[in-house]
Amino acid sequence: MDAIMALCKRRGFVFQASDIYGGINGFWDYGPLGAQLKKNLREAWWQDMIMNPAWGRKGPNGERVRCVPLETCIIQHPKVWEASGHVAGFNDPMVDDKETKGRFRADHLQGLYQIGDYESPLADLLARTASTGGAVPVCTVVASSAGEAIDQLLNTRKLQKELGIRTITSRTPLTDSTRPFVSVDMGNLKADCEVLAVPMPTLKSRFAEVPSPFTGKKGVLTEPRQFNLMFFTYTGAVFNEESKVHLRPETAQGIFVHFKNVVDSTRVKIPFGIGNTGRSFRNEVTPRNFTFRSREFEQAELEFFCHPDESQDWYRFWRDFRMEWWRSIGLAGENLILREHEKDELSHYSCGTSDVEYRFPFTAPGFGELEGIAHRGNYDLTQHQTHSKVKLDYFDTTRGETLPNGSKKGERYIPHCIEPAAGLDRGALALICEAYTVDPSRPSPEFLKLHPRVAPIKAAVFPLVDKDGMPEVAEKLADALFARFGRHGFIETDAKQSIGKRYARMDEAGCPYCFTVDGDTLKDQTVTVRDRDTGRQERIGLDAVPAWLGERLGL
RNA sequence: GCGGGUGUAGCUCAGUGGUAGAGCGUCAGCCUUCCAAGCUGAAUGUCGCGGGUUCAAGUCCCGUCGCCCGCUCCA
């Protein structure tokens, strides 16, 4: 990875943001080649997802896939993030165990509150109420619910031992009551306890007395601290709570917010998709691994809306296409996998999520996420409908029973949504990592096997030597290539130094083809073309070069 | 946020408290008819940043920032 990072800097793919001031943690800039590489990646996505979705392939409904673009603001109304769940989800106060360095969400701390002596009659327990206000629990455990806490306590010997529990038995009545009781023997304390979440005021005021969920020790916990995972700023001149706005943590919400506007303005019919690319911001706790986890990053997201009955088919369609797409631009090897999420990994509203994952040098032998393809149900539109009080359902005139006049009665529903959400910075990094090749047998061992479609330098034109009329011919050829391919990437020319050195430079920059004007060119109007990956050369007519290159670049 | 490592030229790295170094790369000239060739020359550094100790600090001490690794987190 160090070698890849060195090459990225040396050749101008990636620089550290604010480099001359020592850099700023979690932010990276793209140099000339990186900027063009990422632009090529973004445009490939735009082309294959929106303008000609899925390469013109028919969807599961047998029809051409239809998508439209959208471009939405980084700053949205604060209620957007309430509706999406980001404000709640990104703002959880955390507690640290200073001794074990363990950290957990404050609202996930479950406490055992003494409510009676050891093994008291159940009726007595039911009659009492645990005082969680001022009291501190005798023991704690990290779990998202009291039930889960009891599960852990009963079934994990190791945890029992660490917390100093000798025996523990569940006293939870098998009635409709959901009050969770346990009888616990901790040696110096035998008690009946009710299991309840430790309230925030207790954690804040008496955190030193609350036992650690990892060791049972007191005085090792910090008070709950806010880790703001969303960036915020202020609108207008006055800085106060009312003027506070967030920088978006994802581009997708901009799409849901405009679902109705797009339907009303474009004559799109379900099923269809809306694509959106742009910067998003997350105040990551630990930015790490080069550009992989940055605080400012770019996403390319498609929200594909369809009828609930067809959603599973569309989910599989996009999942498989997205995998194929990444393969098509150069991530063709074993380093790319599609991983279906386990049931317990899914969000509560999702009935299927897959990740396209790449084996980065820093994740190996594991994988890192490039893109998530999620079946989001109708969660987002429903949330926005509830919070905005604007109807976000869709009237589908192709459904419902057939009327006497032959038309359909129609059906009103909130569409389901399939979301392929890709990280462009992660994509660009994966392309570089996959392309990075070291072949000690070559004169220039280090090179980038970038796919021609994404390569920032599309071709180079060299005179073999800088004399005898060769530079003039090369210049003319370069002009022709520039006119035709200049808008897709760089066309390089270079006449200085040895031809080997010039080839080597192009190899490192990932330029797929070099055209060289030599002595024979002047006689028979042919040039050599050198293939970056094999080093092999063939000779083609000078006039044929633009067409030859166009074919290789797919342009 | 915690712990460990690290920071010297564009890159990779040497450097014992006493003049700032090498290789590669870059640039210029010569040479050169296909793979980082050769010759000659040149530019490039607040030694991450800020304090301190010292006659003297790249070197020792303190702080801070960045990067890497391990925790933690990861819609």
Short mmCIF file of all heavy atoms in Angstrom, two decimals, chain A residues 16 25 101 282 286 290 293 443 496 503 505 508 518 528 530 535 537, chain B residues 1-2 11 26 29 34-37 66-70 72 74-75:
data_model
loop_
_atom_site.label_atom_id
_atom_site.label_comp_id
_atom_site.label_asym_id
_atom_site.label_seq_id
_atom_site.Cartn_x
_atom_site.Cartn_y
_atom_site.Cartn_z
N GLN A 16 -2.43 14.95 -0.25
CA GLN A 16 -3.08 15.23 1.01
C GLN A 16 -3.67 16.63 0.96
O GLN A 16 -3.00 17.56 0.48
CB GLN A 16 -2.06 15.11 2.13
CG GLN A 16 -2.71 14.79 3.43
CD GLN A 16 -1.72 14.60 4.54
OE1 GLN A 16 -0.51 14.63 4.33
NE2 GLN A 16 -2.24 14.40 5.72
N ASN A 25 -6.62 15.83 8.74
CA ASN A 25 -7.03 14.44 8.91
C ASN A 25 -8.39 14.13 8.26
O ASN A 25 -9.39 14.76 8.59
CB ASN A 25 -7.10 14.16 10.41
CG ASN A 25 -7.19 12.69 10.71
OD1 ASN A 25 -7.26 11.86 9.81
ND2 ASN A 25 -7.18 12.36 11.98
N LYS A 101 -10.67 0.24 27.48
CA LYS A 101 -10.78 0.99 26.24
C LYS A 101 -12.03 0.61 25.43
O LYS A 101 -12.14 0.96 24.27
CB LYS A 101 -9.55 0.81 25.34
CG LYS A 101 -8.22 1.05 26.05
CD LYS A 101 -8.14 2.45 26.59
CE LYS A 101 -6.86 2.64 27.39
NZ LYS A 101 -6.93 3.84 28.24
N ARG A 282 -19.10 13.01 6.37
CA ARG A 282 -19.30 12.31 7.63
C ARG A 282 -18.10 12.54 8.50
O ARG A 282 -16.98 12.33 8.08
CB ARG A 282 -19.50 10.81 7.40
CG ARG A 282 -20.84 10.52 6.80
CD ARG A 282 -21.05 9.05 6.59
NE ARG A 282 -22.04 8.90 5.55
CZ ARG A 282 -22.39 7.76 5.00
NH1 ARG A 282 -21.79 6.66 5.39
NH2 ARG A 282 -23.31 7.72 4.09
N THR A 286 -12.60 7.78 13.09
CA THR A 286 -11.23 7.46 12.71
C THR A 286 -11.11 7.39 11.20
O THR A 286 -11.33 6.34 10.61
CB THR A 286 -10.81 6.10 13.29
OG1 THR A 286 -11.15 6.06 14.65
CG2 THR A 286 -9.32 5.91 13.15
N PHE A 290 -5.92 5.70 3.78
CA PHE A 290 -5.81 6.55 2.61
C PHE A 290 -7.17 7.17 2.31
O PHE A 290 -7.80 7.68 3.22
CB PHE A 290 -5.29 5.70 1.43
CG PHE A 290 -4.60 6.49 0.35
CD1 PHE A 290 -3.94 7.66 0.61
CD2 PHE A 290 -4.60 6.01 -0.96
CE1 PHE A 290 -3.30 8.37 -0.40
CE2 PHE A 290 -3.97 6.70 -1.98
CZ PHE A 290 -3.33 7.88 -1.69
N ARG A 293 -11.62 5.87 3.90
CA ARG A 293 -12.58 6.46 4.82
C ARG A 293 -12.23 7.91 5.03
O ARG A 293 -11.41 8.26 5.87
CB ARG A 293 -12.59 5.70 6.15
CG ARG A 293 -13.47 6.35 7.21
CD ARG A 293 -13.84 5.42 8.32
NE ARG A 293 -14.67 4.33 7.83
CZ ARG A 293 -14.47 3.06 8.10
NH1 ARG A 293 -13.49 2.71 8.88
NH2 ARG A 293 -15.26 2.14 7.60
N PRO A 443 11.68 -3.48 -17.77
CA PRO A 443 12.61 -2.37 -17.51
C PRO A 443 11.98 -1.33 -16.58
O PRO A 443 12.66 -0.68 -15.81
CB PRO A 443 12.87 -1.76 -18.89
CG PRO A 443 12.25 -2.67 -19.88
CD PRO A 443 11.33 -3.61 -19.19
N LYS A 496 11.63 14.38 -25.27
CA LYS A 496 12.89 14.44 -24.54
C LYS A 496 13.30 13.05 -24.05
O LYS A 496 12.47 12.22 -23.77
CB LYS A 496 12.74 15.36 -23.32
CG LYS A 496 12.42 16.80 -23.69
CD LYS A 496 13.68 17.55 -24.02
CE LYS A 496 13.38 19.03 -24.28
NZ LYS A 496 14.57 19.74 -24.69
N TYR A 503 8.35 5.66 -22.26
CA TYR A 503 7.40 4.56 -22.09
C TYR A 503 7.15 4.29 -20.61
O TYR A 503 6.02 4.08 -20.17
CB TYR A 503 7.94 3.27 -22.75
CG TYR A 503 7.87 3.23 -24.26
CD1 TYR A 503 8.81 2.52 -25.00
CD2 TYR A 503 6.85 3.89 -24.94
CE1 TYR A 503 8.75 2.46 -26.39
CE2 TYR A 503 6.79 3.85 -26.33
CZ TYR A 503 7.74 3.14 -27.06
OH TYR A 503 7.67 3.08 -28.43
N ARG A 505 7.40 6.25 -18.07
CA ARG A 505 6.56 7.27 -17.45
C ARG A 505 5.08 7.04 -17.76
O ARG A 505 4.22 7.20 -16.91
CB ARG A 505 6.98 8.66 -17.93
CG ARG A 505 8.10 9.26 -17.12
CD ARG A 505 8.18 10.75 -17.36
NE ARG A 505 8.80 11.03 -18.64
CZ ARG A 505 10.03 11.52 -18.78
NH1 ARG A 505 10.75 11.79 -17.72
NH2 ARG A 505 10.53 11.76 -19.96
N GLU A 508 3.61 4.15 -15.73
CA GLU A 508 3.31 4.50 -14.34
C GLU A 508 2.05 5.33 -14.24
O GLU A 508 1.35 5.29 -13.23
CB GLU A 508 4.48 5.27 -13.74
CG GLU A 508 5.07 4.57 -12.58
CD GLU A 508 6.12 5.40 -11.85
OE1 GLU A 508 6.09 6.64 -11.93
OE2 GLU A 508 6.95 4.78 -11.22
N ASP A 518 8.78 6.71 -36.12
CA ASP A 518 10.20 6.37 -36.29
C ASP A 518 10.63 6.62 -37.74
O ASP A 518 9.89 7.22 -38.53
CB ASP A 518 10.47 4.92 -35.87
CG ASP A 518 9.62 3.93 -36.64
OD1 ASP A 518 9.10 4.31 -37.72
OD2 ASP A 518 9.48 2.79 -36.17
N THR A 528 4.43 2.76 -34.92
CA THR A 528 4.28 1.62 -34.02
C THR A 528 3.33 2.02 -32.91
O THR A 528 3.30 3.17 -32.47
CB THR A 528 5.61 1.18 -33.40
OG1 THR A 528 6.11 2.24 -32.59
CG2 THR A 528 6.62 0.82 -34.46
N ARG A 530 2.43 0.72 -29.05
CA ARG A 530 2.91 -0.15 -27.98
C ARG A 530 1.82 -0.35 -26.95
O ARG A 530 1.22 0.61 -26.47
CB ARG A 530 4.14 0.48 -27.31
CG ARG A 530 4.57 -0.22 -26.04
CD ARG A 530 5.71 0.54 -25.41
NE ARG A 530 6.17 -0.03 -24.15
CZ ARG A 530 5.61 0.23 -22.98
NH1 ARG A 530 4.55 1.01 -22.90
NH2 ARG A 530 6.12 -0.31 -21.87
N GLY A 535 3.77 -4.70 -23.53
CA GLY A 535 4.98 -4.11 -24.10
C GLY A 535 5.13 -4.44 -25.58
O GLY A 535 6.08 -4.00 -26.23
N GLN A 537 4.54 -4.47 -29.62
CA GLN A 537 4.28 -3.39 -30.57
C GLN A 537 3.73 -3.96 -31.87
O GLN A 537 4.07 -5.06 -32.27
CB GLN A 537 5.58 -2.66 -30.88
CG GLN A 537 6.14 -1.92 -29.69
CD GLN A 537 7.34 -1.10 -30.04
OE1 GLN A 537 7.92 -1.26 -31.11
NE2 GLN A 537 7.73 -0.22 -29.15
P G B 1 -9.95 13.56 19.35
OP1 G B 1 -11.11 14.40 19.60
OP2 G B 1 -8.62 14.08 19.43
"O5'" G B 1 -10.05 12.31 20.32
"C5'" G B 1 -10.61 12.51 21.62
"C4'" G B 1 -10.81 11.18 22.25
"O4'" G B 1 -11.67 10.37 21.40
"C3'" G B 1 -9.56 10.35 22.40
"O3'" G B 1 -8.81 10.74 23.53
"C2'" G B 1 -10.14 8.95 22.53
"O2'" G B 1 -10.65 8.73 23.82
"C1'" G B 1 -11.31 9.01 21.54
N9 G B 1 -10.93 8.47 20.22
C8 G B 1 -10.84 9.15 19.03
N7 G B 1 -10.48 8.39 18.03
C5 G B 1 -10.33 7.12 18.60
C6 G B 1 -9.95 5.88 18.02
O6 G B 1 -9.68 5.65 16.85
N1 G B 1 -9.92 4.86 18.96
C2 G B 1 -10.20 5.00 20.28
N2 G B 1 -10.12 3.92 21.02
N3 G B 1 -10.56 6.16 20.84
C4 G B 1 -10.60 7.16 19.95
P C B 2 -7.20 10.62 23.50
OP1 C B 2 -6.68 11.37 24.64
OP2 C B 2 -6.71 10.91 22.14
"O5'" C B 2 -7.00 9.07 23.79
"C5'" C B 2 -7.43 8.50 25.02
"C4'" C B 2 -7.14 7.02 25.05
"O4'" C B 2 -7.96 6.35 24.05
"C3'" C B 2 -5.72 6.63 24.67
"O3'" C B 2 -4.82 6.79 25.74
"C2'" C B 2 -5.91 5.17 24.26
"O2'" C B 2 -6.04 4.33 25.39
"C1'" C B 2 -7.25 5.24 23.53
N1 C B 2 -7.08 5.42 22.07
C2 C B 2 -6.74 4.29 21.30
O2 C B 2 -6.60 3.19 21.86
N3 C B 2 -6.58 4.43 19.96
C4 C B 2 -6.74 5.63 19.40
N4 C B 2 -6.57 5.71 18.08
C5 C B 2 -7.07 6.79 20.16
C6 C B 2 -7.23 6.63 21.48
P C B 11 7.58 13.29 -1.43
OP1 C B 11 6.27 13.09 -0.80
OP2 C B 11 8.70 13.85 -0.64
"O5'" C B 11 8.05 11.92 -2.06
"C5'" C B 11 7.14 11.10 -2.77
"C4'" C B 11 7.84 9.85 -3.25
"O4'" C B 11 8.89 10.24 -4.18
"C3'" C B 11 8.56 9.08 -2.17
"O3'" C B 11 7.70 8.21 -1.47
"C2'" C B 11 9.63 8.34 -2.96
"O2'" C B 11 9.09 7.23 -3.63
"C1'" C B 11 10.01 9.39 -4.00
N1 C B 11 11.16 10.23 -3.58
C2 C B 11 12.45 9.68 -3.64
O2 C B 11 12.58 8.50 -4.02
N3 C B 11 13.51 10.45 -3.29
C4 C B 11 13.32 11.70 -2.90
N4 C B 11 14.40 12.41 -2.56
C5 C B 11 12.03 12.28 -2.81
C6 C B 11 10.99 11.52 -3.16
P U B 26 12.37 11.49 -14.66
OP1 U B 26 11.26 11.28 -15.59
OP2 U B 26 13.78 11.28 -15.10
"O5'" U B 26 12.30 12.96 -14.06
"C5'" U B 26 11.06 13.49 -13.60
"C4'" U B 26 11.25 14.91 -13.17
"O4'" U B 26 12.16 14.96 -12.03
"C3'" U B 26 11.93 15.81 -14.20
"O3'" U B 26 10.99 16.29 -15.16
"C2'" U B 26 12.51 16.92 -13.33
"O2'" U B 26 11.49 17.82 -12.93
"C1'" U B 26 12.95 16.13 -12.09
N1 U B 26 14.38 15.75 -12.14
C2 U B 26 15.33 16.72 -11.86
O2 U B 26 15.04 17.87 -11.60
N3 U B 26 16.63 16.29 -11.90
C4 U B 26 17.08 15.01 -12.18
O4 U B 26 18.28 14.77 -12.18
C5 U B 26 16.03 14.07 -12.47
C6 U B 26 14.76 14.46 -12.44
P G B 29 17.51 21.75 -23.77
OP1 G B 29 17.08 22.67 -24.84
OP2 G B 29 16.82 20.45 -23.58
"O5'" G B 29 19.07 21.45 -23.92
"C5'" G B 29 19.97 22.52 -24.13
"C4'" G B 29 21.38 22.01 -24.09
"O4'" G B 29 21.67 21.47 -22.77
"C3'" G B 29 21.70 20.84 -25.02
"O3'" G B 29 21.88 21.23 -26.36
"C2'" G B 29 22.97 20.29 -24.37
"O2'" G B 29 24.08 21.11 -24.67
"C1'" G B 29 22.63 20.43 -22.88
N9 G B 29 22.04 19.19 -22.36
C8 G B 29 20.72 18.89 -22.14
N7 G B 29 20.53 17.68 -21.68
C5 G B 29 21.81 17.14 -21.59
C6 G B 29 22.25 15.87 -21.15
O6 G B 29 21.57 14.92 -20.75
N1 G B 29 23.63 15.74 -21.23
C2 G B 29 24.48 16.72 -21.68
N2 G B 29 25.79 16.42 -21.69
N3 G B 29 24.10 17.92 -22.08
C4 G B 29 22.76 18.06 -22.01
P C B 34 16.58 1.04 -32.29
OP1 C B 34 17.88 0.93 -31.60
OP2 C B 34 16.14 0.00 -33.25
"O5'" C B 34 15.43 1.18 -31.20
"C5'" C B 34 15.60 2.00 -30.05
"C4'" C B 34 14.58 1.58 -29.03
"O4'" C B 34 13.30 2.18 -29.39
"C3'" C B 34 14.36 0.08 -29.00
"O3'" C B 34 14.08 -0.33 -27.67
"C2'" C B 34 13.10 -0.11 -29.86
"O2'" C B 34 12.35 -1.25 -29.51
"C1'" C B 34 12.34 1.18 -29.53
N1 C B 34 11.42 1.59 -30.60
C2 C B 34 10.05 1.66 -30.30
O2 C B 34 9.68 1.39 -29.15
N3 C B 34 9.19 2.04 -31.25
C4 C B 34 9.63 2.32 -32.47
N4 C B 34 8.74 2.71 -33.39
C5 C B 34 11.02 2.26 -32.82
C6 C B 34 11.87 1.88 -31.85
P C B 35 15.27 -0.97 -26.85
OP1 C B 35 16.54 -0.31 -27.24
OP2 C B 35 15.14 -2.44 -26.95
"O5'" C B 35 14.97 -0.55 -25.36
"C5'" C B 35 15.03 0.81 -24.95
"C4'" C B 35 14.11 1.01 -23.78
"O4'" C B 35 12.73 0.98 -24.24
"C3'" C B 35 14.24 -0.10 -22.74
"O3'" C B 35 14.06 0.48 -21.46
"C2'" C B 35 13.03 -0.99 -23.02
"O2'" C B 35 12.58 -1.70 -21.90
"C1'" C B 35 12.02 0.06 -23.46
N1 C B 35 10.92 -0.50 -24.27
C2 C B 35 9.66 -0.59 -23.68
O2 C B 35 9.52 -0.21 -22.52
N3 C B 35 8.65 -1.08 -24.39
C4 C B 35 8.84 -1.48 -25.64
N4 C B 35 7.81 -1.97 -26.31
C5 C B 35 10.12 -1.41 -26.28
C6 C B 35 11.13 -0.90 -25.56
P A B 36 15.39 0.97 -20.71
OP1 A B 36 16.53 0.91 -21.64
OP2 A B 36 15.47 0.28 -19.41
"O5'" A B 36 15.02 2.47 -20.51
"C5'" A B 36 13.95 2.83 -19.66
"C4'" A B 36 14.38 3.99 -18.82
"O4'" A B 36 13.36 4.26 -17.86
"C3'" A B 36 15.67 3.73 -18.02
"O3'" A B 36 16.26 5.00 -17.76
"C2'" A B 36 15.10 3.21 -16.71
"O2'" A B 36 15.96 3.37 -15.61
"C1'" A B 36 13.90 4.13 -16.56
N9 A B 36 12.83 3.70 -15.68
C8 A B 36 12.46 2.46 -15.25
N7 A B 36 11.42 2.48 -14.45
C5 A B 36 11.08 3.83 -14.38
C6 A B 36 10.06 4.52 -13.71
N6 A B 36 9.15 3.95 -12.95
N1 A B 36 10.04 5.86 -13.86
C2 A B 36 10.95 6.44 -14.63
N3 A B 36 11.94 5.90 -15.32
C4 A B 36 11.94 4.58 -15.13
P A B 37 17.57 5.48 -18.45
OP1 A B 37 18.49 5.92 -17.37
OP2 A B 37 17.10 6.44 -19.46
"O5'" A B 37 18.22 4.26 -19.24
"C5'" A B 37 19.00 3.28 -18.59
"C4'" A B 37 20.21 2.95 -19.40
"O4'" A B 37 19.87 3.02 -20.83
"C3'" A B 37 21.37 3.93 -19.30
"O3'" A B 37 22.14 3.71 -18.13
"C2'" A B 37 22.14 3.62 -20.59
"O2'" A B 37 22.83 2.40 -20.49
"C1'" A B 37 20.98 3.46 -21.57
N9 A B 37 20.65 4.74 -22.20
C8 A B 37 19.49 5.48 -22.07
N7 A B 37 19.51 6.60 -22.75
C5 A B 37 20.75 6.61 -23.36
C6 A B 37 21.38 7.52 -24.22
N6 A B 37 20.81 8.65 -24.62
N1 A B 37 22.62 7.24 -24.64
C2 A B 37 23.19 6.09 -24.23
N3 A B 37 22.69 5.15 -23.43
C4 A B 37 21.47 5.47 -23.03
P G B 66 -4.32 16.11 12.65
OP1 G B 66 -5.61 16.40 12.00
OP2 G B 66 -4.27 15.27 13.86
"O5'" G B 66 -3.33 15.49 11.59
"C5'" G B 66 -3.26 16.04 10.28
"C4'" G B 66 -2.14 15.40 9.51
"O4'" G B 66 -0.89 15.58 10.21
"C3'" G B 66 -2.23 13.90 9.33
"O3'" G B 66 -3.14 13.53 8.31
"C2'" G B 66 -0.80 13.54 9.00
"O2'" G B 66 -0.50 13.90 7.66
"C1'" G B 66 -0.03 14.49 9.92
N9 G B 66 0.35 13.84 11.19
C8 G B 66 -0.21 13.99 12.43
N7 G B 66 0.37 13.26 13.35
C5 G B 66 1.38 12.59 12.67
C6 G B 66 2.34 11.66 13.13
O6 G B 66 2.51 11.24 14.27
N1 G B 66 3.16 11.22 12.10
C2 G B 66 3.07 11.63 10.79
N2 G B 66 3.95 11.09 9.94
N3 G B 66 2.18 12.50 10.35
C4 G B 66 1.37 12.93 11.33
P C B 67 -3.92 12.11 8.44
OP1 C B 67 -4.92 12.11 7.36
OP2 C B 67 -4.34 11.90 9.83
"O5'" C B 67 -2.79 11.05 8.11
"C5'" C B 67 -2.22 10.95 6.81
"C4'" C B 67 -1.04 10.02 6.83
"O4'" C B 67 -0.05 10.51 7.76
"C3'" C B 67 -1.33 8.61 7.33
"O3'" C B 67 -1.90 7.79 6.33
"C2'" C B 67 0.06 8.14 7.74
"O2'" C B 67 0.85 7.83 6.61
"C1'" C B 67 0.62 9.42 8.38
N1 C B 67 0.38 9.47 9.84
C2 C B 67 1.22 8.74 10.68
O2 C B 67 2.14 8.07 10.17
N3 C B 67 1.02 8.78 12.02
C4 C B 67 0.03 9.50 12.53
N4 C B 67 -0.13 9.51 13.85
C5 C B 67 -0.86 10.25 11.69
C6 C B 67 -0.65 10.20 10.36
P C B 68 -2.91 6.63 6.76
OP1 C B 68 -3.52 6.12 5.52
OP2 C B 68 -3.76 7.09 7.87
"O5'" C B 68 -1.92 5.52 7.35
"C5'" C B 68 -1.00 4.85 6.50
"C4'" C B 68 -0.16 3.89 7.30
"O4'" C B 68 0.65 4.64 8.25
"C3'" C B 68 -0.94 2.93 8.19
"O3'" C B 68 -1.44 1.82 7.48
"C2'" C B 68 0.12 2.55 9.22
"O2'" C B 68 1.05 1.64 8.67
"C1'" C B 68 0.81 3.88 9.44
N1 C B 68 0.21 4.64 10.56
C2 C B 68 0.57 4.28 11.87
O2 C B 68 1.36 3.33 12.03
N3 C B 68 0.05 4.95 12.91
C4 C B 68 -0.80 5.96 12.70
N4 C B 68 -1.29 6.61 13.75
C5 C B 68 -1.18 6.35 11.38
C6 C B 68 -0.66 5.67 10.35
P C B 69 -2.80 1.13 7.98
OP1 C B 69 -3.16 0.15 6.94
OP2 C B 69 -3.75 2.17 8.39
"O5'" C B 69 -2.34 0.36 9.29
"C5'" C B 69 -1.43 -0.72 9.22
"C4'" C B 69 -1.13 -1.24 10.61
"O4'" C B 69 -0.43 -0.21 11.37
"C3'" C B 69 -2.33 -1.56 11.48
"O3'" C B 69 -2.92 -2.81 11.17
"C2'" C B 69 -1.71 -1.53 12.87
"O2'" C B 69 -0.95 -2.68 13.12
"C1'" C B 69 -0.78 -0.32 12.74
N1 C B 69 -1.45 0.92 13.17
C2 C B 69 -1.53 1.19 14.54
O2 C B 69 -1.04 0.38 15.34
N3 C B 69 -2.14 2.33 14.96
C4 C B 69 -2.66 3.17 14.06
N4 C B 69 -3.26 4.27 14.54
C5 C B 69 -2.61 2.92 12.67
C6 C B 69 -2.00 1.79 12.26
P G B 70 -4.47 -3.02 11.42
OP1 G B 70 -4.81 -4.34 10.85
OP2 G B 70 -5.21 -1.82 11.01
"O5'" G B 70 -4.56 -3.12 13.01
"C5'" G B 70 -3.83 -4.13 13.70
"C4'" G B 70 -4.02 -3.97 15.19
"O4'" G B 70 -3.37 -2.76 15.63
"C3'" G B 70 -5.46 -3.78 15.64
"O3'" G B 70 -6.17 -4.99 15.67
"C2'" G B 70 -5.27 -3.13 17.01
"O2'" G B 70 -4.90 -4.10 17.98
"C1'" G B 70 -4.08 -2.22 16.74
N9 G B 70 -4.53 -0.86 16.39
C8 G B 70 -4.65 -0.31 15.14
N7 G B 70 -5.09 0.93 15.16
C5 G B 70 -5.26 1.20 16.52
C6 G B 70 -5.72 2.38 17.17
O6 G B 70 -6.07 3.45 16.67
N1 G B 70 -5.74 2.21 18.55
C2 G B 70 -5.39 1.08 19.22
N2 G B 70 -5.49 1.11 20.55
N3 G B 70 -4.96 -0.03 18.63
C4 G B 70 -4.92 0.11 17.28
P U B 72 -12.83 -3.53 18.97
OP1 U B 72 -13.64 -4.46 19.78
OP2 U B 72 -12.57 -3.83 17.55
"O5'" U B 72 -13.48 -2.09 19.07
"C5'" U B 72 -13.73 -1.50 20.33
"C4'" U B 72 -14.09 -0.05 20.16
"O4'" U B 72 -12.93 0.67 19.71
"C3'" U B 72 -15.14 0.23 19.08
"O3'" U B 72 -16.46 0.00 19.53
"C2'" U B 72 -14.86 1.70 18.78
"O2'" U B 72 -15.38 2.53 19.79
"C1'" U B 72 -13.34 1.73 18.86
N1 U B 72 -12.74 1.52 17.52
C2 U B 72 -12.63 2.63 16.72
O2 U B 72 -12.98 3.73 17.05
N3 U B 72 -12.08 2.39 15.47
C4 U B 72 -11.65 1.18 14.97
O4 U B 72 -11.18 1.12 13.85
C5 U B 72 -11.80 0.08 15.87
C6 U B 72 -12.33 0.28 17.08
P C B 74 -21.17 1.56 14.68
OP1 C B 74 -22.56 1.97 14.93
OP2 C B 74 -20.74 0.18 14.97
"O5'" C B 74 -20.83 1.86 13.16
"C5'" C B 74 -21.11 3.13 12.59
"C4'" C B 74 -20.48 3.23 11.23
"O4'" C B 74 -19.05 3.03 11.37
"C3'" C B 74 -20.90 2.19 10.21
"O3'" C B 74 -22.11 2.56 9.58
"C2'" C B 74 -19.72 2.18 9.26
"O2'" C B 74 -19.77 3.25 8.35
"C1'" C B 74 -18.55 2.40 10.20
N1 C B 74 -17.91 1.13 10.59
C2 C B 74 -16.92 0.61 9.76
O2 C B 74 -16.61 1.23 8.74
N3 C B 74 -16.33 -0.57 10.09
C4 C B 74 -16.69 -1.22 11.19
N4 C B 74 -16.09 -2.36 11.48
C5 C B 74 -17.71 -0.71 12.06
C6 C B 74 -18.28 0.45 11.72
P A B 75 -23.23 1.47 9.25
OP1 A B 75 -23.60 0.86 10.53
OP2 A B 75 -22.81 0.64 8.11
"O5'" A B 75 -24.45 2.35 8.73
"C5'" A B 75 -25.17 3.12 9.68
"C4'" A B 75 -26.26 3.92 9.00
"O4'" A B 75 -25.63 5.08 8.41
"C3'" A B 75 -26.97 3.15 7.88
"O3'" A B 75 -28.34 3.13 8.12
"C2'" A B 75 -26.63 3.90 6.61
"O2'" A B 75 -27.72 4.22 5.78
"C1'" A B 75 -25.98 5.18 7.06
N9 A B 75 -24.74 5.45 6.31
C8 A B 75 -23.64 6.11 6.74
N7 A B 75 -22.67 6.20 5.87
C5 A B 75 -23.17 5.55 4.77
C6 A B 75 -22.61 5.30 3.51
N6 A B 75 -21.41 5.70 3.14
N1 A B 75 -23.36 4.62 2.63
C2 A B 75 -24.57 4.21 3.01
N3 A B 75 -25.19 4.38 4.18
C4 A B 75 -24.43 5.08 5.02
#
